[in-house]
Amino acid sequence: MTWAACPADVNAKTAPLTAECTTVPVPLDYSHPGGTQISLLVSRIASTKPQQRRGILLLNPGGPGGSGLDQAAFLMNKGLPASVTDSYDLIGMDTRGVGHSTPMYCGLPEELGYWANVPPYAADDAAVIAQAKIAEKVAQTCAANDSRGWLKHLTTANMARDLDRIRAALGEQKASFYGASYGSALGAAYVSLFPGTTDRVVLDSNLADTHLDRDGLRRFARGVEETFPDFAKWAAARHASYGLGRTPAQVRKNYFAIAERLDRTPASDGTTGAIFRYLTFAYLYGDIQYGPLARIWQTLLDPGAARAKAAPPATPIDNGLTVFLAVTCNDVNWPEDLATYRRGVAEDRKRYPMFGAATANITPCAYWEHEPSEPPVKVDNRGPADVLMLQNRHDPVTPAINAQLLRQKFGQRARLVTVDDSGHGVYVLGGNACALDLATAYLVDGKMPARDLSCRS
């Protein structure tokens, strides 16, 4: 295995640290391992303490579709303890289809209007029907541009198989793993498919299984309902500065007032109610974003004030959205009848009024060309007790119920650490001392908690 300098854009993101990169070939189709090969670009920040080095720690930041080549440097710059970097070579990667690995594209133009991994909020039934036309066009575009038939091979199971190929290519008998968000699903698949070659596994901010299905997407709305009160409390304590409401209840009331006004009349910069709701969801990922979110709200409450542009997210790179859609749609069967989504949106608009009519809305998976080529990877209790799960009690994307559901499937293979905190991401990113110490002790010394634990904020 030959290591060399990483691409310039990767080095720019890892500064002031420097990673080195190599390429690992893997089969496009694992049912024909001797057939077409694709490449994975893998990065490494190596341990400088050979006497303390345990092995490799594979990293995944989530997605699917996100680049992980800079993940080691990102975590180190956020404060990953030196005891971890001494114990492991930190291994990042662009998973199959992504970025500097053999990339795959749907060729989605901006005018299709599909700008986020979560469907837009449907203010009424007509909006669901309109979104169905967009979702169908997205799926048709992906199919039309997939002339080689490669998109069907973008699955979580294949990405997990790729991880074991990387381990073998690096000459390691076992590999440890840290994954957050979708990375928890990938890690759950990895440790389930390869219980004999996985070492210490940490799953952070969990999906409920080895895939994102419609139920999992709908639970995003539950996460918003559970997490929003933390922002509302923060904003109410700063009413003199932002004017969003003197109490959390008033802040919540203003959320609906802004959203419903923008449903009727978008702002001059194009901000709609759907965009406002999505922005609020995205800014709940961590309290470091509460100030910018409050500023956006402030300008929307007073349309005549000097505006801070509350625009939608930048149109995603086609590559990242392609991989997200392909993996999500290929992993499991999604309902294909529009009536199911219309009914679900109506239900979740009432059950989770802040965001339910977005996460229950129809996606391109309803019209996806390919059926799943195999069942999703099953999680069970067969294998060593080597999975440590970390979960914030309030998480807008992966609510705590997800971790509880996944924990049940793992049985005695796992321990769950629930943190009385808010946001998406626990280890290093969350700042909770108890969770940081427990996860570090496990990665470095193999100290698995004897039982499930809770950490205070």
Side-chain angles (χ1 to χ4, degrees), residues 130-182:
Q131 179 62 20
K133 295 178 181 178
I134 296 173
E136 183 175 19
K137 183 62 175 177
V138 168
Q140 290 173 344
T141 301
C142 289
N145 291 328
D146 184 26
S147 59
R148 298 175 299 185
W150 283 14
L151 287 183
K152 64 185 177 183
H153 300 294
L154 292 176
T155 67
T156 300
N158 282 339
M159 288 180 176
R161 295 176 180 118
D162 292 345
L163 292 177
D164 203 56
R165 285 290 181 118
I166 292 170
R167 172 202 60 77
L170 298 184
E172 301 289 335
Q173 292 187 347
K174 291 191 173 187
S176 294
F177 178 87
Y178 168 81
S181 194
Y182 167 77

Side-chain angles (χ1 to χ4, degrees), residues 163-375:
L163 292 177
D164 203 56
R165 285 290 181 118
I166 292 170
R167 172 202 60 77
L170 298 184
E172 301 289 335
Q173 292 187 347
K174 291 191 173 187
S176 294
F177 178 87
Y178 168 81
S181 194
Y182 167 77
S184 68
L186 177 58
Y190 179 42
V191 77
S192 297
L193 285 175
F194 301 101
T197 55
T198 45
D199 189 14
R200 296 170 182 171
V201 175
V202 178
L203 307 182
D204 188 339
S205 304
N206 298 267
L207 291 180
D209 213 313
T210 59
H211 54 271
L212 176 64
D213 58 13
R214 184 162 183 259
D215 288 342
L217 183 58
R218 291 174 76 174
R219 282 195 294 271
F220 284 21
R222 174 170 175 167
V224 171
E225 295 285 349
E226 292 176 348
T227 307
F228 182 81
D230 298 318
F231 169 71
K233 181 179 179 181
W234 180 96
R238 294 159 179 82
H239 175 73
S241 294
Y242 295 110
L244 305 186
R246 298 182 183 278
T247 66
Q250 289 178 351
V251 175
R252 181 179 174 90
K253 182 178 180 181
N254 276 326
Y255 171 86
F256 290 108
I258 296 170
E260 290 165 8
R261 173 166 51 81
L262 293 173
D263 286 337
R264 297 187 301 271
T265 307
S268 59
D269 65 359
T271 302
T272 63
I275 291 171
F276 168 72
R277 291 178 173 95
Y278 182 84
L279 284 168
T280 298
F281 156 72
Y283 277 76
L284 293 178
Y285 273 47
D287 59 11
I288 194 172
Q289 299 184 114
Y290 285 1
L293 177 59
R295 171 66 181 169
I296 291 171
W297 277 44
Q298 191 176 35
T299 58
L300 290 170
L301 271 173
D302 182 6
R307 295 282 309 218
K309 186 178 173 90
T315 302
I317 297 173
D318 177 39
N319 175 230
L321 186 54
T322 294
V323 175
F324 175 85
L325 290 173
V327 173
T328 303
C329 300
N330 289 336
D331 274 352
V332 291
N333 271 310
W334 286 68
E336 298 177 2
D337 60 302
L338 177 56
T340 296
Y341 295 93
R342 293 171 68 182
R343 184 167 56 250
V345 168
E347 292 169 354
D348 284 8
R349 188 183 291 113
K350 294 179 180 179
R351 180 166 56 169
Y352 303 125
M354 299 196 76
F355 205 52
T359 59
N361 204 355
I362 193 164
T363 81
C365 293
Y367 303 100
W368 199 247
E369 180 182 36
H370 304 292
E371 296 294 320
S373 60
E374 60 182 322

